Amino acid sequence: MSDLAIETKALTKNFGALVAVDRIDLAIPEGAVSGFVGPNGAGKTTTMRMLLGLIRPSSGGGAVLGQALSAPERFLARVGAMIEGPAFYAPLSGRANLSALARLGQIPSRRVEEVLALVNLTDRAGDAVREYSHGMRQRLGIAAALLPDPSLLVLDEPTNGLDPAGIAGMRNLLLSVAARGVTVFVSSHLLAEVEQICHHVVIIESGRVGFQGPIDAFVAAQSPELLVRTERREDLPRLAAKLAESNRPTRMEGEWLHVSAPEEYAAELNRLAAAIGITLVHLSTRRASLEEAFFAHTGEARSLARPKDAAR
């Protein structure tokens, strides 16, 4: 397990009759930035709580940083975490909150200033937390998670509630943390963000792992597509009809025709268009986004938001 930061076997959690996490096998590579995605209620937070020793599995087990999941005291000193939003003493300053956590964790006081600088809060460190914006509180939560100088960082929806600028700032922060060699395991329902910061992904659906591995491999496994534009827009329907004769699925979006076909079909498509007097001005392969691949894989409506339930 030397190359895995997190490994589980048949990890399961039941809440009465509800199976929140159903026999999942995780294999999170050491040093990776790994996204954990799925609808609300899929079991992401429950899984993270089990990994951190906050709740006990109903069955199954695993290891974190090479230590048994059943003995969290052996690995928690090397793990930083933020689950379901940070909690602080609002009247105290950001610096005072971190100093209190450092004393409780027997962490050198110098780490307080180091992590404040990492999350770009040094200038506001003396202000009361009640004066912080939501984004600043999220960054302070990351600072608290980084206090022990962890080998593994576990974050549950760190961009939740942030505006676009806050999301971009969080993205840059996580990339800078990962550049230091820290393994990052981050849950999110923002697939575009996961695609920008992660190269590994775990997709969980109704408590079960639907896919895990490199994002590129997941996206490549979906149906390939060619993107076509004709010299005359009115030729698009005619080209689509001709392709339908060859059982090639197509869809039109504005002046573009999307053709479900591998790259190797491009030359044949070009010849077919020329044979019926259609001139192409654009023909290229198109890589699906993580979001498109996710919805193609799961058949879900284009939203990860669902009413929260006990599986969260």
Side-chain angles (χ1 to χ4, degrees):
M1 298 192 298
S2 60
D3 60 342
L4 295 177
I6 298 171
E7 182 177 30
T8 68
K9 296 294 183 183
L11 191 65
T12 301
K13 183 62 181 178
N14 303 323
F15 293 102
L18 174 67
V19 182
V21 176
D22 191 4
R23 296 168 295 171
I24 65 171
D25 298 337
L26 295 178
I28 308 303
E30 191 175 72
V33 183
S34 184
F36 194 27
V37 302
N40 288 336
K44 301 187 297 295
T45 300
T46 298
T47 299
M48 287 181 158
R49 285 173 172 168
M50 286 191 284
L51 294 176
L52 296 170
L54 298 175
I55 57 174
R56 292 183 178 181
S58 300
S59 61
V64 175
L65 299 177
Q67 300 296 322
L69 197 60
S70 58
E73 68 278 4
R74 296 180 182 175
F75 60 78
L76 283 181
R78 299 168 56 205
V79 178
M82 185 174 74
I83 303 295
E84 293 194 316
F88 296 105
Y89 293 104
L92 298 183
S93 68
R95 179 179 286 113
N97 270 278
L98 294 182
S99 295
L101 291 173
R103 286 194 295 272
L104 286 171
Q106 298 182 323
I107 296 167
S109 59
R110 60 176 171 77
R111 280 295 292 167
V112 172
E113 298 305 320
E114 290 173 0
V115 296
L116 283 168
L118 274 175
V119 302
N120 197 27
L121 277 179
T122 301
D123 290 346
R124 296 293 303 275
D127 295 346
V129 169
R130 65 185 169 207
E131 298 174 11
Y132 284 11
S133 67
H134 179 67
M136 291 171 64
R137 288 183 184 228
Q138 291 292 92
R139 281 188 282 145
L140 189 63
I142 302 292
L146 291 172
L147 269 176
D149 197 10
S151 300
L152 170 65
L153 188 62
V154 178
L155 303 174
D156 185 23
E157 302 279 5
T159 57
N160 192 30
L162 298 185
D163 61 18
I167 290 172
M170 186 63 69
R171 179 199 313 147
N172 293 333
L173 172 57
L174 295 184
L175 288 173
S176 69
V177 169
R180 296 168 174 264
V182 178
T183 303
V184 180
F185 188 46
V186 54
S187 75
S188 180
H189 62 276
L190 300 178
L191 296 179
E193 285 303 309
V194 170
E195 189 167 18
Q196 289 192 61
I197 66 172
C198 302
H199 56 268
H200 182 273
V201 66
V202 178
I203 293 174
I204 187 169
E205 311 162 50
S206 301
R208 295 183 177 181
V209 171
F211 174 88
Q212 68 177 315
I215 287 180
D216 287 346
F218 177 66
V219 170
Q222 308 310 309
S223 298
E225 191 174 73
L226 297 174
L227 190 61
V228 180
R229 186 158 60 91
T230 56
E231 184 177 40
R232 298 186 306 171
R233 186 169 178 175
E234 58 266 29
D235 285 335
L236 275 183
R238 193 155 63 93
L239 179 58
K242 189 66 177 178
L243 289 167
E245 294 176 7
S246 303
N247 295 317
R248 288 287 175 186
T250 64
R251 76 178 192 280
M252 283 185 285
E253 291 184 357
E255 61 183 4
W256 297 98
L257 182 66
H258 298 253
V259 182
S260 294
E263 182 178 4
E264 294 75 18
Y265 186 70
E268 184 177 342
L269 191 158
N270 193 34
R271 287 191 294 268
L272 184 151
I276 58 176
I278 294 176
T279 301
L280 305 183
V281 295
H282 184 100
L283 176 57
S284 66
T285 56
R286 179 179 178 277
R287 180 186 184 275
S289 67
L290 175 62
E291 181 177 272
E292 291 169 327
F294 175 88
F295 292 118
H297 175 77
T298 63
E300 293 279 351
R302 297 181 69 83
S303 172
L304 291 188
R306 288 179 172 176
K308 294 187 177 183
D309 57 35
R312 276 282 296 157

